[in-house]
Amino acid sequence: MAKFVLAGRADCPYYAKAELLADYLQKNLPDFRIHKITQHPDVWEEWLKELCKKNTWSHKNSPIIWRELLDRGGKGLLLGGYNEFLEHAQLYYGVTSSMTTELMKTVAQENLGTHIEKELEKEALKGLINPLQVWITSASAPACYNLIPILTSGEVFGPHMEISINLFDNKQAEEKLTSLVKEAQDLASPFLQSVSVCTRAEEAFRQAHVIIFLDDHVDKEVHSLEDCIRSRATLCHLYGSLIEKNAHDSVRIIVGGKTFVNLKTSLLMRYAPNFAHNIVAVALGVEGKAKAELARKLKTTPSCIKDVIIWGNISGNNYVDLRKAKVYRYESAVWGPPHYSRPVLSLIFDSEWVNREFVVSLKKFTATGRQFGGILAAHSIATTLKYWYHGSPPGEIVSLGVLSEGQFGIPEGIVFSMPVKFENGTWVVLTDLEDIEISEQIMTRMTNDLIQEKLVALGELIHFQPYQSENLI
């Protein structure tokens, strides 16, 4: 078997003539094989120099042809250039080339065009397979441990997207993060290209496509609620400047956690203004808790309950709206196909439970966050990201913390949980929903703390006065 390599400058007429001759030989001779390499004129000389240095050859022009001797353990036998290849073809195979000079030039230009097209295709494909850079802050938090297996499952970003996970935390958490890296690598996920640790703030969010904010650590001790709020402002100021400096232009930022979720989202928007439109707060944890409470009451499964709306402060005063809530596949005297649903409120006859016990349970949940464990936090974040990339279920209402533009009578400029749908890589507030007006009393209860938190964080208010109301709903 004769195995030849033909390499040349993409616009070289002599390469074109040698290529035509090589193609003829390969087509007509069963034991002749050719491998072709073209290089752009701008890089040809450097490429040829490196090739000759590696193989200790002496050759200066295009094309260069050599015979492979790999089956014999050799480095290859240099044949020479076009003239040497032509002589070899005449001597061993009795074949020569009759290509005219004009045709040689035409084919050479076609070769250059084809070479450029292939290089552009390679760059485009490289862009597609480059891993998605996912950054997780406060990565030593329990939620991160549960989040990594979900992110690397292929379900969140899709089966054709590789990711690189960057775990960001303070220096004291480095040992824990190193252990987490090893566990993530042990997953052997085909979607995880790499996982690394970052403890240097100035390096955070480099080329980040996705940033996930978990509950942050406060380095110094705080002695009051106001100090706690102001410490969030300091951290968000740091994070915002790093996002502006280091993150990718298309970065998507998602804020989770148990405390001050709306406030942190609002502050990040303030300190990373170029990315404010792509910063959201996760409300699906509270939504999931509400669905679970309802499912226990109705003796069904939480996945059968849809369209529960969380309004307001995700980690504080909020309103769980059941006016649009539906239950599917509910076993009762009335039965229908899988798409058949019934209003949740029509199936719960205990209004005292809805207005008191249900509300108190969720109020304790958002106030303390004690039941908001790592599994729920991770699942809520991952599901929000999945919807953001691939769209939420058609016709289904999703709760999300976004910046208010005055929809539903909500004051502008605060981050507020409201009903949305995800589609085409973004989210849309469902302002066309009917019969979901919010009473002035409920609106005041929800917005009072959010406005005060923001004013305290920015130093415009000294003391925080939590909203007091005997009416739980």
Side-chain angles (χ1 to χ4, degrees):
M1 175 73 71
K3 297 166 65 176
F4 288 88
V5 178
L6 169 61
R9 207 177 63 228
D11 64 344
C12 173
Y14 293 99
Y15 173 86
K17 194 168 185 177
E19 179 188 29
L20 184 67
L21 178 58
D23 287 343
Y24 176 86
L25 293 172
Q26 182 167 254
K27 182 178 179 181
N28 292 279
L29 300 174
D31 293 333
F32 184 94
R33 291 290 179 269
I34 187 73
H35 174 66
K36 292 179 277 188
I37 301 172
T38 58
Q39 294 293 335
H40 193 278
D42 293 343
V43 301
W44 163 253
E45 288 188 9
E46 188 64 29
W47 183 87
L48 179 62
K49 182 179 178 181
E50 288 296 320
L51 176 72
C52 291
K53 180 179 179 181
K54 178 181 176 182
N55 293 281
T56 62
W57 292 338
S58 177
H59 190 86
K60 296 183 179 180
N61 301 312
S62 173
I64 180 172
I65 301 120
W66 68 92
R67 184 170 179 176
E68 291 284 1
L69 299 175
L70 296 178
D71 52 344
R72 302 181 191 176
K75 64 183 178 182
L77 179 64
L78 178 64
L79 185 63
Y82 165 72
N83 290 329
E84 288 78 11
F85 182 56
L86 190 64
E87 290 174 7
H88 182 86
Q90 288 175 325
L91 179 62
Y92 285 91
Y93 308 116
V95 177
T96 189
S97 174
S98 58
M99 180 184 283
T100 64
T101 302
E102 287 302 314
L103 184 56
M104 286 167 59
K105 292 179 179 179
T106 300
V107 174
Q109 288 305 308
E110 289 177 354
N111 281 345
L112 178 59
T114 301
H115 175 84
I116 292 172
E117 285 181 12
K118 287 182 177 179
E119 288 300 309
L120 291 173
E121 286 177 7
K122 284 181 183 178
E123 287 300 314
L125 288 172
K126 192 185 296 182
L128 290 175
I129 63 174
N130 274 346
L132 199 72
Q133 296 293 331
V134 179
W135 283 78
I136 305 175
T137 73
S138 304
S140 60
C144 185
Y145 190 86
N146 295 278
L147 185 59
I148 289 175
I150 308 176
L151 295 179
T152 58
S153 67
E155 292 293 322
V156 176
F157 303 109
H160 304 295
M161 179 64 71
E162 290 186 354
I163 68 172
S164 286
I165 295 178
N166 305 272
L167 306 175
F168 177 47
D169 212 320
N170 55 39
K171 189 70 175 177
Q172 290 75 18
E174 189 168 15
E175 185 176 346
K176 186 174 182 179
L177 297 185
T178 302
S179 298
L180 191 55
V181 167
K182 292 178 181 178
E183 287 202 60
Q185 292 170 336
D186 290 344
L187 292 172
S189 166
F191 307 105
L192 180 61
Q193 187 176 101
S194 65
V195 56
S196 60
V197 171
C198 176
T199 58
R200 292 169 57 86
E202 62 270 22
E203 296 176 1
F205 314 138
R206 289 270 171 87
Q207 288 302 303
H209 297 103
V210 175
I211 303 175
I212 300 168
F213 283 92
L214 303 179
D215 271 320
D216 39 54
H217 310 296
V218 179
D219 292 333
K220 62 179 182 179
E221 185 178 353
V222 292
H223 301 284
S224 67
L225 177 60
E226 289 81 3
D227 285 345
C228 189
I229 292 173
R230 283 188 280 268
S231 69
R232 265 60 185 183
T234 303
L235 279 172
C236 289
H237 194 180
L238 170 64
Y239 291 153
S241 63
L242 291 169
I243 291 168
E244 288 280 323
K245 179 182 177 182
N246 295 336
H248 192 273
D249 291 342
S250 63
V251 66
R252 302 182 188 194
I253 301 164
I254 188 163
V255 182
K258 305 174 187 177
T259 59
F260 301 108
V261 174
N262 296 55
L263 174 64
K264 289 185 291 187
T265 307
S266 179
L267 292 171
L268 286 171
M269 290 175 176
R270 180 183 181 88
Y271 296 123
N274 291 321
F275 302 99
H277 62 287
N278 258 13
I279 305 177
V280 300
V282 180
L284 290 185
V286 183
E287 189 179 306
K289 175 66 176 174
K291 290 177 179 178
E293 292 282 344
L294 293 168
R296 282 190 282 270
K297 182 67 174 178
L298 293 171
K299 295 180 172 56
T300 186
T301 57
S303 63
C304 293
I305 298 175
K306 309 291 183 184
D307 299 345
V308 173
I309 303 173
I310 308 300
W311 296 94
N313 192 344
I314 297 164
S315 51
N317 270 322
N318 53 49
Y319 170 43
V320 181
D321 191 349
L322 304 181
R323 289 175 292 179
K324 295 293 181 183
K326 306 179 187 70
V327 58
Y328 293 79
R329 301 190 298 277
Y330 186 67
E331 294 186 16
S332 65
V334 181
W335 190 254
H339 62 270
Y340 175 74
S341 66
R342 300 179 67 186
V344 165
L345 289 177
S346 71
L347 298 172
I348 300 178
F349 304 105
D350 186 353
S351 60
E352 181 69 16
W353 181 87
V354 172
N355 294 326
R356 291 288 171 181
E357 189 176 333
F358 176 66
V359 174
V360 169
S361 175
L362 292 173
K363 189 176 179 67
K364 287 181 179 178
F365 171 73
T366 54
T368 64
R370 288 172 187 167
Q371 299 177 62
F372 195 66
I375 294 176
L376 179 56
H379 181 265
S380 304
I381 291 167
T383 302
T384 304
L385 274 173
K386 179 181 178 180
Y387 289 169
W388 202 346
Y389 274 86
H390 305 293
S392 50
E396 191 170 318
I397 299 172
V398 178
S399 301
L400 185 71
V402 299
L403 186 66
S404 169
E405 297 177 353
Q407 307 98 323
F408 310 109
I410 302 165
E412 293 184 27
I414 59 172
V415 171
F416 203 87
S417 180
M418 59 184 81
V420 306
K421 66 177 178 179
F422 287 93
E423 60 181 8
N424 302 321
T426 188
W427 45 266
V428 179
V429 178
L430 298 175
T431 54
D432 56 349
L433 291 177
E434 297 179 356
D435 302 321
I436 58 167
E437 291 79 13
I438 303 172
S439 72
E440 184 178 347
Q441 180 186 6
I442 293 175
M443 183 65 77
T444 301
R445 173 172 66 82
M446 290 189 293
T447 58
N448 181 79
D449 290 357
L450 289 173
I451 293 171
Q452 284 199 73
E453 284 176 1
K454 189 172 181 180
L455 291 174
V456 170
L458 299 176
E460 298 176 18
L461 185 67
I462 298 174
H463 299 294
F464 180 87
Q465 296 293 330
Y467 182 80
Q468 301 292 331
S469 173
E470 295 180 1
N471 191 340
L472 293 170
I473 61 173

